[in-house]
Amino acid sequence: MHAANNDLQRHAAPPTRRIGILSAHVDDNANSTRTRRSINTEQHTALETNNVISSGIPSRGGFKVTVLGAAGGIGQPLCLLLKQDCSNMIDELSLYDVANTAGVAADLSHISTKARVTSHTGPDQLSSALYGSHIVIIPAGVPRKPGMSRDDLFKINAGIVKTLLQGVASYCPQAWIAIISNPVNSTVPIAAEVLKREGVLNPRKLFGVTTLDVVRATTFIGDILGVDPKDVSVPVVGGHAGKTILPLLSSSSHCLGGVSMSDRKALMERIQDAGTEVVKAKAGAGSATLSMAYAAAEFTKSCLKAMSGEQGIVECAYVISSVTDVPFFSSQLRLGAQGIEQYLPLPRMSEMERENFEAMIPELRASIKKGTDFVANS
């Protein structure tokens, strides 16, 4: 599974200092709560001159898309793809990070597509980054470093997500929210608890981005069958980590009848462990940043199309769900202008898929509980 890469991968500051910066960002809640509740008149005026209005209606025929963690390993290529491929639907591409945002924004602003690029750096500018946003994409977070336990990693990324969601709740509570920050199985429940606490939770607009699992599944199937992956469709359900990733190969648009059961099992395991495959190939120098950015851009493009009124948009995403008895689950969703329009039922599973489904539920429940407990105890 990929790690959500952010500022610590850049060279602007040594790792220990950048962790300190992020920790300060996380722990700044006590002093920031009052300022998050309102925007002073002077700031409000400045924001409206940037062609964003409080009603949430695009002022120039496009949407405001905000990327939180825009200068990181996922954030930079994601912003490039959005500026390049989605500019016809984006009025303002708002970039936020705790450092180095201005350089990334300046670079992107020279690309000859119509979306305006704006730069916002540090907690004091989080409000201007978010205000009036229609979609907020969150790749912010840190990769696991030598000497860090998985619990250390969870606490840092969980704290970052919690702080950023408090900002979203204050400055763009009607926005669609797409969370990339890992572990997604826990960070989406964290986001839900924060939004619920702030009284602005809309389950139809909160998503954990699991598109990379679908992208990998279609790519690997295309390779096996010798067809264009763009022509392949396969639902991937469950969660977004290891065994909780369940590709429903029996529901692939392309028949796998000629693939043996042992090869299907190997394919399922490869999809589940694909993040580790990238980490090993990079020899510890990084994780799945480029493919994750591509997948997130594809998901965002679908969201923008749905928000624009296009019909028949179906994506898999990890959401608050009643499709199973697990409160958060990734499955196929039909998107509409106001978010999730329909939760599609799970397809019939093969025996192998059903066994994997039953085995992953306890792990998924534990990850969800870890996220909700974090908010309850902080």
Side-chain angles (χ1 to χ4, degrees), residues 204 311-312 333-343:
R204 295 182 181 271
Q311 301 296 308
L333 311 165
R334 180 172 287 112
L335 303 179
Q338 299 303 316
I340 301 170
E341 205 167 64
Q342 183 182 6
Y343 301 78

Short mmCIF file of all heavy atoms in Angstrom, two decimals, residues 204 311-312 333-343:
data_model
loop_
_atom_site.label_atom_id
_atom_site.label_comp_id
_atom_site.label_asym_id
_atom_site.label_seq_id
_atom_site.Cartn_x
_atom_site.Cartn_y
_atom_site.Cartn_z
N ARG A 204 -22.60 11.82 2.06
CA ARG A 204 -22.58 11.69 0.61
C ARG A 204 -21.45 12.48 -0.05
O ARG A 204 -21.27 12.41 -1.27
CB ARG A 204 -23.94 12.12 0.02
CG ARG A 204 -25.06 11.19 0.44
CD ARG A 204 -26.39 11.57 -0.17
NE ARG A 204 -27.44 10.64 0.29
CZ ARG A 204 -27.75 9.50 -0.31
NH1 ARG A 204 -27.11 9.15 -1.41
NH2 ARG A 204 -28.70 8.72 0.16
N GLN A 311 -24.25 12.51 -16.19
CA GLN A 311 -24.92 11.34 -15.62
C GLN A 311 -24.08 10.08 -15.81
O GLN A 311 -23.19 10.01 -16.65
CB GLN A 311 -26.27 11.15 -16.31
CG GLN A 311 -27.22 12.32 -16.16
CD GLN A 311 -27.63 12.57 -14.72
OE1 GLN A 311 -28.08 11.66 -14.03
NE2 GLN A 311 -27.47 13.80 -14.25
N GLY A 312 -24.38 9.06 -14.98
CA GLY A 312 -23.78 7.75 -15.15
C GLY A 312 -22.35 7.64 -14.66
O GLY A 312 -21.61 6.75 -15.10
N LEU A 333 -20.13 3.34 -6.41
CA LEU A 333 -21.05 4.42 -6.09
C LEU A 333 -21.43 5.15 -7.37
O LEU A 333 -20.56 5.41 -8.22
CB LEU A 333 -20.39 5.43 -5.14
CG LEU A 333 -19.68 4.86 -3.91
CD1 LEU A 333 -18.78 5.92 -3.29
CD2 LEU A 333 -20.71 4.35 -2.89
N ARG A 334 -22.70 5.49 -7.49
CA ARG A 334 -23.10 6.37 -8.58
C ARG A 334 -23.10 7.80 -8.04
O ARG A 334 -23.76 8.09 -7.03
CB ARG A 334 -24.48 6.00 -9.13
CG ARG A 334 -24.92 6.93 -10.27
CD ARG A 334 -26.19 6.46 -10.95
NE ARG A 334 -25.92 5.28 -11.78
CZ ARG A 334 -26.39 4.07 -11.52
NH1 ARG A 334 -27.13 3.86 -10.44
NH2 ARG A 334 -26.11 3.06 -12.31
N LEU A 335 -22.35 8.67 -8.69
CA LEU A 335 -22.21 10.05 -8.22
C LEU A 335 -23.17 10.97 -8.96
O LEU A 335 -23.41 10.81 -10.15
CB LEU A 335 -20.77 10.53 -8.43
CG LEU A 335 -19.67 9.69 -7.77
CD1 LEU A 335 -18.30 10.29 -8.08
CD2 LEU A 335 -19.88 9.59 -6.26
N GLY A 336 -23.69 11.96 -8.21
CA GLY A 336 -24.54 12.98 -8.79
C GLY A 336 -24.06 14.35 -8.38
O GLY A 336 -23.02 14.50 -7.73
N ALA A 337 -24.82 15.36 -8.72
CA ALA A 337 -24.41 16.74 -8.46
C ALA A 337 -24.25 17.03 -6.98
O ALA A 337 -23.47 17.92 -6.59
CB ALA A 337 -25.41 17.70 -9.08
N GLN A 338 -24.95 16.29 -6.11
CA GLN A 338 -24.90 16.54 -4.67
C GLN A 338 -24.09 15.48 -3.92
O GLN A 338 -24.18 15.39 -2.70
CB GLN A 338 -26.32 16.61 -4.11
CG GLN A 338 -27.17 17.72 -4.70
CD GLN A 338 -26.53 19.09 -4.51
OE1 GLN A 338 -26.02 19.41 -3.43
NE2 GLN A 338 -26.55 19.90 -5.56
N GLY A 339 -23.30 14.70 -4.64
CA GLY A 339 -22.49 13.68 -3.99
C GLY A 339 -22.92 12.28 -4.39
O GLY A 339 -23.28 12.04 -5.55
N ILE A 340 -22.89 11.36 -3.44
CA ILE A 340 -23.28 9.99 -3.74
C ILE A 340 -24.79 9.94 -4.00
O ILE A 340 -25.60 10.34 -3.17
CB ILE A 340 -22.93 9.04 -2.58
CG1 ILE A 340 -21.43 9.07 -2.29
CG2 ILE A 340 -23.39 7.61 -2.89
CD1 ILE A 340 -21.03 8.35 -1.02
N GLU A 341 -25.13 9.44 -5.17
CA GLU A 341 -26.53 9.35 -5.57
C GLU A 341 -27.10 7.96 -5.27
O GLU A 341 -28.26 7.81 -4.94
CB GLU A 341 -26.63 9.64 -7.07
CG GLU A 341 -27.95 10.16 -7.54
CD GLU A 341 -27.84 10.70 -8.95
OE1 GLU A 341 -27.55 9.91 -9.89
OE2 GLU A 341 -28.03 11.92 -9.13
N GLN A 342 -26.24 6.94 -5.41
CA GLN A 342 -26.69 5.57 -5.18
C GLN A 342 -25.51 4.70 -4.76
O GLN A 342 -24.42 4.80 -5.31
CB GLN A 342 -27.31 4.99 -6.45
CG GLN A 342 -27.87 3.58 -6.28
CD GLN A 342 -28.43 3.02 -7.59
OE1 GLN A 342 -28.31 3.65 -8.64
NE2 GLN A 342 -29.04 1.86 -7.52
N TYR A 343 -25.75 3.86 -3.74
CA TYR A 343 -24.77 2.87 -3.32
C TYR A 343 -25.11 1.57 -4.03
O TYR A 343 -26.11 0.93 -3.70
CB TYR A 343 -24.82 2.68 -1.80
CG TYR A 343 -24.55 3.95 -1.00
CD1 TYR A 343 -25.55 4.92 -0.85
CD2 TYR A 343 -23.33 4.18 -0.42
CE1 TYR A 343 -25.32 6.08 -0.13
CE2 TYR A 343 -23.08 5.35 0.31
CZ TYR A 343 -24.09 6.29 0.45
OH TYR A 343 -23.85 7.44 1.16
#
